Amino acid sequence: MTTPSTALPDDDELDLIRRSGAALQVGRLSLSGGTGSYRVKASMARIARAMGVERHEAHVTLTEITATSHRGRSFRTEVAEVRSVGVNADRLALIERMVSRFERRYDETGVPIPVDEVLDEVRRIQSRPALYPALLNALWSAIACAAFAFLNNGGPVEVGGVFIAAGLGQLLRRAMLHRGYNPFGVTMLAATLACFTYLGLVSGLHELGALTTRHEAGYVSAVLFLIPGFPLVAGALDLARLDFSAGLSRLTYALMVLMSAALAVWAVSSVVGLEPDVPPAPDLAPAVLWGLRFVASFLGVIGFALMFNSPWRMALLAATVGMLANVGRLLLLDAGVVTQAAAALAALVVGLLAAYLAPQRDVPRVTVAVPAVVIMVPGVLAYRAIFHLSDGDTLTALAYGVQAALVVASLSIGLAVARMLTDRTWAFDR
């Protein structure tokens, strides 16, 4: 009895295998940075072409990539999984620069980029540590949520309490996620810590006689650092590109994170006996109010951008764009414009400004556009929807939920329209 021999691949096939694997490594790195599937596919296709692969196709979801590389009559299909879901804007910028640099070199010389050079660059980017240590990361979260508290009609007590509570919550969240704990359980624990910290602070000050009222209404703002802004926006943009598998998986993940945080908020509220009601607007002179809204919008966006591991130059650009767009949105709301229309117009402005300014600063536009619109994501509405749903008040929950969903959809429409106006690959389905 003879054993049939297994034909070994020839040198050309081995070379295709190596190039296909390198392109897949770039895709895994890009996906781990939290960008949308369309950007992951584009990065893989561009680097594969620069390495001499004739055609590259990929199917990308929230955590998985299936890619096929073609050259002549040979092809190679590989599957990879990325279990860690997060956001790393610095990594996304480095990947974009790497791909653009190799692509330009290939176009100028016609010589395929060596596989080892691509893999060395991938390893360098992957091993790059976070730009900010845990305490600084928590500080960025505290600044962003404190700015949110003011924009949600909070006063000095709410802003101060949210600052401390959100910082502690993010510190716990980052520590547990870096140790590999389940993200949904971590979200619930971080939300619980933030809520109890805020309520403990304001209740303690009230008992000491420093406050005449308890200021409980600001506790929802203390958990807004848990808003999954990147997955929400990236998922909606994937749907706009007709990439339903990636879009739906991202939106499902974002919804589960929101539900985890909101259930923790509901549990704390039930124990303490509170409801996430809207606090009254601060009694300030119009000039002072709008000046503070400019400042809060800038700080909110830069806080989120830095929390997403953006370099300072990128974060300042995102904060400037987001400040202008968000204050414009608030002006439209005060003028009586429908909430969804104001959100869509603000997102359109963000998308157009990002398309113009991001290439001049050599940063990916997604790392500017997404932090700039995250501050407009209706996190408070979403939390109230799930709170009232858990409390059995279905009609109120439905009203808040529909309003939140419409605003998120409007933000996505604004960004998608800006993409279609400035990017031919979005305007034409080719």
mmCIF file with all atom_site columns, all heavy atoms in Angstrom, residues 376-398:
data_model
loop_
_atom_site.group_PDB
_atom_site.id
_atom_site.type_symbol
_atom_site.label_atom_id
_atom_site.label_alt_id
_atom_site.label_comp_id
_atom_site.label_asym_id
_atom_site.label_entity_id
_atom_site.label_seq_id
_atom_site.pdbx_PDB_ins_code
_atom_site.Cartn_x
_atom_site.Cartn_y
_atom_site.Cartn_z
_atom_site.occupancy
_atom_site.B_iso_or_equiv
_atom_site.pdbx_formal_charge
_atom_site.auth_seq_id
_atom_site.auth_comp_id
_atom_site.auth_asym_id
_atom_site.auth_atom_id
_atom_site.pdbx_PDB_model_num
ATOM 1   N N   . MET A 1 376 ? -22.047 64.653 19.914 1.00 0.00 ? 376 MET A N   1
ATOM 2   C CA  . MET A 1 376 ? -23.441 64.856 19.508 1.00 0.00 ? 376 MET A CA  1
ATOM 3   C C   . MET A 1 376 ? -24.282 63.586 19.640 1.00 0.00 ? 376 MET A C   1
ATOM 4   O O   . MET A 1 376 ? -25.502 63.628 19.450 1.00 0.00 ? 376 MET A O   1
ATOM 5   C CB  . MET A 1 376 ? -23.491 65.337 18.056 1.00 0.00 ? 376 MET A CB  1
ATOM 6   C CG  . MET A 1 376 ? -22.636 66.554 17.771 1.00 0.00 ? 376 MET A CG  1
ATOM 7   S SD  . MET A 1 376 ? -22.689 66.992 16.024 1.00 0.00 ? 376 MET A SD  1
ATOM 8   C CE  . MET A 1 376 ? -21.150 67.887 15.852 1.00 0.00 ? 376 MET A CE  1
ATOM 9   N N   . VAL A 1 377 ? -23.643 62.452 19.936 1.00 0.00 ? 377 VAL A N   1
ATOM 10  C CA  . VAL A 1 377 ? -24.383 61.200 20.102 1.00 0.00 ? 377 VAL A CA  1
ATOM 11  C C   . VAL A 1 377 ? -25.276 61.327 21.338 1.00 0.00 ? 377 VAL A C   1
ATOM 12  O O   . VAL A 1 377 ? -24.800 61.687 22.423 1.00 0.00 ? 377 VAL A O   1
ATOM 13  C CB  . VAL A 1 377 ? -23.422 60.010 20.252 1.00 0.00 ? 377 VAL A CB  1
ATOM 14  C CG1 . VAL A 1 377 ? -24.178 58.743 20.608 1.00 0.00 ? 377 VAL A CG1 1
ATOM 15  C CG2 . VAL A 1 377 ? -22.638 59.799 18.952 1.00 0.00 ? 377 VAL A CG2 1
ATOM 16  N N   . PRO A 1 378 ? -26.561 61.039 21.216 1.00 0.00 ? 378 PRO A N   1
ATOM 17  C CA  . PRO A 1 378 ? -27.507 61.272 22.331 1.00 0.00 ? 378 PRO A CA  1
ATOM 18  C C   . PRO A 1 378 ? -27.426 60.180 23.392 1.00 0.00 ? 378 PRO A C   1
ATOM 19  O O   . PRO A 1 378 ? -28.350 59.385 23.567 1.00 0.00 ? 378 PRO A O   1
ATOM 20  C CB  . PRO A 1 378 ? -28.865 61.277 21.621 1.00 0.00 ? 378 PRO A CB  1
ATOM 21  C CG  . PRO A 1 378 ? -28.669 60.357 20.458 1.00 0.00 ? 378 PRO A CG  1
ATOM 22  C CD  . PRO A 1 378 ? -27.247 60.536 20.007 1.00 0.00 ? 378 PRO A CD  1
ATOM 23  N N   . GLY A 1 379 ? -26.320 60.153 24.115 1.00 0.00 ? 379 GLY A N   1
ATOM 24  C CA  . GLY A 1 379 ? -26.146 59.117 25.125 1.00 0.00 ? 379 GLY A CA  1
ATOM 25  C C   . GLY A 1 379 ? -27.161 59.189 26.243 1.00 0.00 ? 379 GLY A C   1
ATOM 26  O O   . GLY A 1 379 ? -27.658 58.162 26.714 1.00 0.00 ? 379 GLY A O   1
ATOM 27  N N   . VAL A 1 380 ? -27.487 60.405 26.679 1.00 0.00 ? 380 VAL A N   1
ATOM 28  C CA  . VAL A 1 380 ? -28.461 60.555 27.768 1.00 0.00 ? 380 VAL A CA  1
ATOM 29  C C   . VAL A 1 380 ? -29.819 60.002 27.341 1.00 0.00 ? 380 VAL A C   1
ATOM 30  O O   . VAL A 1 380 ? -30.495 59.316 28.118 1.00 0.00 ? 380 VAL A O   1
ATOM 31  C CB  . VAL A 1 380 ? -28.562 62.033 28.181 1.00 0.00 ? 380 VAL A CB  1
ATOM 32  C CG1 . VAL A 1 380 ? -29.679 62.223 29.196 1.00 0.00 ? 380 VAL A CG1 1
ATOM 33  C CG2 . VAL A 1 380 ? -27.237 62.510 28.774 1.00 0.00 ? 380 VAL A CG2 1
ATOM 34  N N   . LEU A 1 381 ? -30.229 60.284 26.105 1.00 0.00 ? 381 LEU A N   1
ATOM 35  C CA  . LEU A 1 381 ? -31.502 59.753 25.613 1.00 0.00 ? 381 LEU A CA  1
ATOM 36  C C   . LEU A 1 381 ? -31.492 58.226 25.587 1.00 0.00 ? 381 LEU A C   1
ATOM 37  O O   . LEU A 1 381 ? -32.476 57.568 25.955 1.00 0.00 ? 381 LEU A O   1
ATOM 38  C CB  . LEU A 1 381 ? -31.784 60.288 24.206 1.00 0.00 ? 381 LEU A CB  1
ATOM 39  C CG  . LEU A 1 381 ? -32.098 61.784 24.089 1.00 0.00 ? 381 LEU A CG  1
ATOM 40  C CD1 . LEU A 1 381 ? -32.281 62.155 22.623 1.00 0.00 ? 381 LEU A CD1 1
ATOM 41  C CD2 . LEU A 1 381 ? -33.357 62.141 24.880 1.00 0.00 ? 381 LEU A CD2 1
ATOM 42  N N   . ALA A 1 382 ? -30.371 57.654 25.134 1.00 0.00 ? 382 ALA A N   1
ATOM 43  C CA  . ALA A 1 382 ? -30.284 56.195 25.065 1.00 0.00 ? 382 ALA A CA  1
ATOM 44  C C   . ALA A 1 382 ? -30.360 55.580 26.456 1.00 0.00 ? 382 ALA A C   1
ATOM 45  O O   . ALA A 1 382 ? -31.055 54.575 26.670 1.00 0.00 ? 382 ALA A O   1
ATOM 46  C CB  . ALA A 1 382 ? -28.984 55.788 24.372 1.00 0.00 ? 382 ALA A CB  1
ATOM 47  N N   . TYR A 1 383 ? -29.672 56.173 27.429 1.00 0.00 ? 383 TYR A N   1
ATOM 48  C CA  . TYR A 1 383 ? -29.721 55.651 28.792 1.00 0.00 ? 383 TYR A CA  1
ATOM 49  C C   . TYR A 1 383 ? -31.128 55.766 29.372 1.00 0.00 ? 383 TYR A C   1
ATOM 50  O O   . TYR A 1 383 ? -31.617 54.855 30.054 1.00 0.00 ? 383 TYR A O   1
ATOM 51  C CB  . TYR A 1 383 ? -28.727 56.411 29.677 1.00 0.00 ? 383 TYR A CB  1
ATOM 52  C CG  . TYR A 1 383 ? -27.293 55.997 29.464 1.00 0.00 ? 383 TYR A CG  1
ATOM 53  C CD1 . TYR A 1 383 ? -26.289 56.948 29.351 1.00 0.00 ? 383 TYR A CD1 1
ATOM 54  C CD2 . TYR A 1 383 ? -26.934 54.656 29.373 1.00 0.00 ? 383 TYR A CD2 1
ATOM 55  C CE1 . TYR A 1 383 ? -24.959 56.576 29.147 1.00 0.00 ? 383 TYR A CE1 1
ATOM 56  C CE2 . TYR A 1 383 ? -25.624 54.277 29.170 1.00 0.00 ? 383 TYR A CE2 1
ATOM 57  C CZ  . TYR A 1 383 ? -24.639 55.237 29.062 1.00 0.00 ? 383 TYR A CZ  1
ATOM 58  O OH  . TYR A 1 383 ? -23.342 54.876 28.873 1.00 0.00 ? 383 TYR A OH  1
ATOM 59  N N   . ARG A 1 384 ? -31.787 56.892 29.091 1.00 0.00 ? 384 ARG A N   1
ATOM 60  C CA  . ARG A 1 384 ? -33.150 57.051 29.610 1.00 0.00 ? 384 ARG A CA  1
ATOM 61  C C   . ARG A 1 384 ? -34.092 56.034 28.978 1.00 0.00 ? 384 ARG A C   1
ATOM 62  O O   . ARG A 1 384 ? -34.999 55.521 29.640 1.00 0.00 ? 384 ARG A O   1
ATOM 63  C CB  . ARG A 1 384 ? -33.641 58.475 29.338 1.00 0.00 ? 384 ARG A CB  1
ATOM 64  C CG  . ARG A 1 384 ? -33.005 59.510 30.242 1.00 0.00 ? 384 ARG A CG  1
ATOM 65  C CD  . ARG A 1 384 ? -33.468 60.909 29.918 1.00 0.00 ? 384 ARG A CD  1
ATOM 66  N NE  . ARG A 1 384 ? -32.760 61.896 30.740 1.00 0.00 ? 384 ARG A NE  1
ATOM 67  C CZ  . ARG A 1 384 ? -32.369 63.071 30.327 1.00 0.00 ? 384 ARG A CZ  1
ATOM 68  N NH1 . ARG A 1 384 ? -32.601 63.446 29.080 1.00 0.00 ? 384 ARG A NH1 1
ATOM 69  N NH2 . ARG A 1 384 ? -31.732 63.895 31.131 1.00 0.00 ? 384 ARG A NH2 1
ATOM 70  N N   . ALA A 1 385 ? -33.888 55.741 27.701 1.00 0.00 ? 385 ALA A N   1
ATOM 71  C CA  . ALA A 1 385 ? -34.744 54.755 27.030 1.00 0.00 ? 385 ALA A CA  1
ATOM 72  C C   . ALA A 1 385 ? -34.645 53.396 27.712 1.00 0.00 ? 385 ALA A C   1
ATOM 73  O O   . ALA A 1 385 ? -35.666 52.766 28.026 1.00 0.00 ? 385 ALA A O   1
ATOM 74  C CB  . ALA A 1 385 ? -34.355 54.651 25.554 1.00 0.00 ? 385 ALA A CB  1
ATOM 75  N N   . ILE A 1 386 ? -33.420 52.938 27.946 1.00 0.00 ? 386 ILE A N   1
ATOM 76  C CA  . ILE A 1 386 ? -33.246 51.611 28.553 1.00 0.00 ? 386 ILE A CA  1
ATOM 77  C C   . ILE A 1 386 ? -33.652 51.640 30.019 1.00 0.00 ? 386 ILE A C   1
ATOM 78  O O   . ILE A 1 386 ? -34.186 50.659 30.551 1.00 0.00 ? 386 ILE A O   1
ATOM 79  C CB  . ILE A 1 386 ? -31.798 51.140 28.370 1.00 0.00 ? 386 ILE A CB  1
ATOM 80  C CG1 . ILE A 1 386 ? -31.475 51.048 26.871 1.00 0.00 ? 386 ILE A CG1 1
ATOM 81  C CG2 . ILE A 1 386 ? -31.566 49.794 29.034 1.00 0.00 ? 386 ILE A CG2 1
ATOM 82  C CD1 . ILE A 1 386 ? -30.058 50.705 26.547 1.00 0.00 ? 386 ILE A CD1 1
ATOM 83  N N   . PHE A 1 387 ? -33.453 52.769 30.702 1.00 0.00 ? 387 PHE A N   1
ATOM 84  C CA  . PHE A 1 387 ? -33.886 52.894 32.097 1.00 0.00 ? 387 PHE A CA  1
ATOM 85  C C   . PHE A 1 387 ? -35.396 52.697 32.205 1.00 0.00 ? 387 PHE A C   1
ATOM 86  O O   . PHE A 1 387 ? -35.878 51.896 33.009 1.00 0.00 ? 387 PHE A O   1
ATOM 87  C CB  . PHE A 1 387 ? -33.492 54.271 32.636 1.00 0.00 ? 387 PHE A CB  1
ATOM 88  C CG  . PHE A 1 387 ? -34.049 54.575 34.003 1.00 0.00 ? 387 PHE A CG  1
ATOM 89  C CD1 . PHE A 1 387 ? -33.349 54.234 35.135 1.00 0.00 ? 387 PHE A CD1 1
ATOM 90  C CD2 . PHE A 1 387 ? -35.284 55.189 34.151 1.00 0.00 ? 387 PHE A CD2 1
ATOM 91  C CE1 . PHE A 1 387 ? -33.856 54.502 36.398 1.00 0.00 ? 387 PHE A CE1 1
ATOM 92  C CE2 . PHE A 1 387 ? -35.814 55.463 35.411 1.00 0.00 ? 387 PHE A CE2 1
ATOM 93  C CZ  . PHE A 1 387 ? -35.092 55.109 36.544 1.00 0.00 ? 387 PHE A CZ  1
ATOM 94  N N   . HIS A 1 388 ? -36.157 53.425 31.376 1.00 0.00 ? 388 HIS A N   1
ATOM 95  C CA  . HIS A 1 388 ? -37.619 53.327 31.458 1.00 0.00 ? 388 HIS A CA  1
ATOM 96  C C   . HIS A 1 388 ? -38.106 51.979 30.945 1.00 0.00 ? 388 HIS A C   1
ATOM 97  O O   . HIS A 1 388 ? -39.127 51.470 31.423 1.00 0.00 ? 388 HIS A O   1
ATOM 98  C CB  . HIS A 1 388 ? -38.256 54.474 30.668 1.00 0.00 ? 388 HIS A CB  1
ATOM 99  C CG  . HIS A 1 388 ? -38.102 55.803 31.319 1.00 0.00 ? 388 HIS A CG  1
ATOM 100 N ND1 . HIS A 1 388 ? -38.711 56.139 32.509 1.00 0.00 ? 388 HIS A ND1 1
ATOM 101 C CD2 . HIS A 1 388 ? -37.376 56.911 30.965 1.00 0.00 ? 388 HIS A CD2 1
ATOM 102 C CE1 . HIS A 1 388 ? -38.386 57.382 32.851 1.00 0.00 ? 388 HIS A CE1 1
ATOM 103 N NE2 . HIS A 1 388 ? -37.577 57.868 31.927 1.00 0.00 ? 388 HIS A NE2 1
ATOM 104 N N   . LEU A 1 389 ? -37.378 51.383 29.991 1.00 0.00 ? 389 LEU A N   1
ATOM 105 C CA  . LEU A 1 389 ? -37.753 50.039 29.538 1.00 0.00 ? 389 LEU A CA  1
ATOM 106 C C   . LEU A 1 389 ? -37.575 49.038 30.665 1.00 0.00 ? 389 LEU A C   1
ATOM 107 O O   . LEU A 1 389 ? -38.436 48.171 30.888 1.00 0.00 ? 389 LEU A O   1
ATOM 108 C CB  . LEU A 1 389 ? -36.884 49.646 28.331 1.00 0.00 ? 389 LEU A CB  1
ATOM 109 C CG  . LEU A 1 389 ? -37.218 48.306 27.665 1.00 0.00 ? 389 LEU A CG  1
ATOM 110 C CD1 . LEU A 1 389 ? -38.613 48.343 27.064 1.00 0.00 ? 389 LEU A CD1 1
ATOM 111 C CD2 . LEU A 1 389 ? -36.186 47.974 26.591 1.00 0.00 ? 389 LEU A CD2 1
ATOM 112 N N   . SER A 1 390 ? -36.466 49.132 31.392 1.00 0.00 ? 390 SER A N   1
ATOM 113 C CA  . SER A 1 390 ? -36.235 48.232 32.523 1.00 0.00 ? 390 SER A CA  1
ATOM 114 C C   . SER A 1 390 ? -37.236 48.481 33.644 1.00 0.00 ? 390 SER A C   1
ATOM 115 O O   . SER A 1 390 ? -37.556 47.566 34.405 1.00 0.00 ? 390 SER A O   1
ATOM 116 C CB  . SER A 1 390 ? -34.811 48.434 33.054 1.00 0.00 ? 390 SER A CB  1
ATOM 117 O OG  . SER A 1 390 ? -33.860 48.204 32.041 1.00 0.00 ? 390 SER A OG  1
ATOM 118 N N   . ASP A 1 391 ? -37.736 49.703 33.721 1.00 0.00 ? 391 ASP A N   1
ATOM 119 C CA  . ASP A 1 391 ? -38.691 50.061 34.774 1.00 0.00 ? 391 ASP A CA  1
ATOM 120 C C   . ASP A 1 391 ? -40.133 49.741 34.387 1.00 0.00 ? 391 ASP A C   1
ATOM 121 O O   . ASP A 1 391 ? -41.049 50.002 35.164 1.00 0.00 ? 391 ASP A O   1
ATOM 122 C CB  . ASP A 1 391 ? -38.554 51.554 35.081 1.00 0.00 ? 391 ASP A CB  1
ATOM 123 C CG  . ASP A 1 391 ? -38.692 51.847 36.564 1.00 0.00 ? 391 ASP A CG  1
ATOM 124 O OD1 . ASP A 1 391 ? -38.339 50.967 37.365 1.00 0.00 ? 391 ASP A OD1 1
ATOM 125 O OD2 . ASP A 1 391 ? -39.153 52.937 36.908 1.00 0.00 ? 391 ASP A OD2 1
ATOM 126 N N   . GLY A 1 392 ? -40.339 49.224 33.162 1.00 0.00 ? 392 GLY A N   1
ATOM 127 C CA  . GLY A 1 392 ? -41.667 48.838 32.720 1.00 0.00 ? 392 GLY A CA  1
ATOM 128 C C   . GLY A 1 392 ? -42.463 49.932 32.052 1.00 0.00 ? 392 GLY A C   1
ATOM 129 O O   . GLY A 1 392 ? -43.609 49.710 31.659 1.00 0.00 ? 392 GLY A O   1
ATOM 130 N N   . ASP A 1 393 ? -41.882 51.116 31.885 1.00 0.00 ? 393 ASP A N   1
ATOM 131 C CA  . ASP A 1 393 ? -42.576 52.232 31.239 1.00 0.00 ? 393 ASP A CA  1
ATOM 132 C C   . ASP A 1 393 ? -42.250 52.189 29.743 1.00 0.00 ? 393 ASP A C   1
ATOM 133 O O   . ASP A 1 393 ? -41.410 52.937 29.239 1.00 0.00 ? 393 ASP A O   1
ATOM 134 C CB  . ASP A 1 393 ? -42.122 53.556 31.857 1.00 0.00 ? 393 ASP A CB  1
ATOM 135 C CG  . ASP A 1 393 ? -42.991 54.734 31.421 1.00 0.00 ? 393 ASP A CG  1
ATOM 136 O OD1 . ASP A 1 393 ? -43.832 54.549 30.512 1.00 0.00 ? 393 ASP A OD1 1
ATOM 137 O OD2 . ASP A 1 393 ? -42.810 55.829 31.971 1.00 0.00 ? 393 ASP A OD2 1
ATOM 138 N N   . THR A 1 394 ? -42.956 51.336 29.023 1.00 0.00 ? 394 THR A N   1
ATOM 139 C CA  . THR A 1 394 ? -42.599 51.051 27.629 1.00 0.00 ? 394 THR A CA  1
ATOM 140 C C   . THR A 1 394 ? -42.792 52.255 26.723 1.00 0.00 ? 394 THR A C   1
ATOM 141 O O   . THR A 1 394 ? -41.962 52.518 25.843 1.00 0.00 ? 394 THR A O   1
ATOM 142 C CB  . THR A 1 394 ? -43.451 49.879 27.106 1.00 0.00 ? 394 THR A CB  1
ATOM 143 O OG1 . THR A 1 394 ? -43.329 48.780 28.012 1.00 0.00 ? 394 THR A OG1 1
ATOM 144 C CG2 . THR A 1 394 ? -42.986 49.446 25.727 1.00 0.00 ? 394 THR A CG2 1
ATOM 145 N N   . LEU A 1 395 ? -43.858 53.004 26.905 1.00 0.00 ? 395 LEU A N   1
ATOM 146 C CA  . LEU A 1 395 ? -44.129 54.133 26.016 1.00 0.00 ? 395 LEU A CA  1
ATOM 147 C C   . LEU A 1 395 ? -43.066 55.223 26.146 1.00 0.00 ? 395 LEU A C   1
ATOM 148 O O   . LEU A 1 395 ? -42.583 55.760 25.142 1.00 0.00 ? 395 LEU A O   1
ATOM 149 C CB  . LEU A 1 395 ? -45.520 54.711 26.315 1.00 0.00 ? 395 LEU A CB  1
ATOM 150 C CG  . LEU A 1 395 ? -46.705 53.823 25.929 1.00 0.00 ? 395 LEU A CG  1
ATOM 151 C CD1 . LEU A 1 395 ? -48.023 54.490 26.309 1.00 0.00 ? 395 LEU A CD1 1
ATOM 152 C CD2 . LEU A 1 395 ? -46.682 53.539 24.431 1.00 0.00 ? 395 LEU A CD2 1
ATOM 153 N N   . THR A 1 396 ? -42.687 55.538 27.375 1.00 0.00 ? 396 THR A N   1
ATOM 154 C CA  . THR A 1 396 ? -41.632 56.539 27.568 1.00 0.00 ? 396 THR A CA  1
ATOM 155 C C   . THR A 1 396 ? -40.307 56.039 27.001 1.00 0.00 ? 396 THR A C   1
ATOM 156 O O   . THR A 1 396 ? -39.564 56.788 26.357 1.00 0.00 ? 396 THR A O   1
ATOM 157 C CB  . THR A 1 396 ? -41.471 56.862 29.061 1.00 0.00 ? 396 THR A CB  1
ATOM 158 O OG1 . THR A 1 396 ? -42.733 57.301 29.587 1.00 0.00 ? 396 THR A OG1 1
ATOM 159 C CG2 . THR A 1 396 ? -40.434 57.943 29.275 1.00 0.00 ? 396 THR A CG2 1
ATOM 160 N N   . ALA A 1 397 ? -40.026 54.751 27.236 1.00 0.00 ? 397 ALA A N   1
ATOM 161 C CA  . ALA A 1 397 ? -38.791 54.169 26.698 1.00 0.00 ? 397 ALA A CA  1
ATOM 162 C C   . ALA A 1 397 ? -38.779 54.227 25.183 1.00 0.00 ? 397 ALA A C   1
ATOM 163 O O   . ALA A 1 397 ? -37.751 54.551 24.567 1.00 0.00 ? 397 ALA A O   1
ATOM 164 C CB  . ALA A 1 397 ? -38.653 52.722 27.172 1.00 0.00 ? 397 ALA A CB  1
ATOM 165 N N   . LEU A 1 398 ? -39.912 53.937 24.572 1.00 0.00 ? 398 LEU A N   1
ATOM 166 C CA  . LEU A 1 398 ? -39.995 53.962 23.108 1.00 0.00 ? 398 LEU A CA  1
ATOM 167 C C   . LEU A 1 398 ? -39.766 55.374 22.579 1.00 0.00 ? 398 LEU A C   1
ATOM 168 O O   . LEU A 1 398 ? -39.061 55.569 21.569 1.00 0.00 ? 398 LEU A O   1
ATOM 169 C CB  . LEU A 1 398 ? -41.353 53.440 22.655 1.00 0.00 ? 398 LEU A CB  1
ATOM 170 C CG  . LEU A 1 398 ? -41.555 53.266 21.145 1.00 0.00 ? 398 LEU A CG  1
ATOM 171 C CD1 . LEU A 1 398 ? -40.567 52.259 20.585 1.00 0.00 ? 398 LEU A CD1 1
ATOM 172 C CD2 . LEU A 1 398 ? -42.993 52.836 20.851 1.00 0.00 ? 398 LEU A CD2 1
#
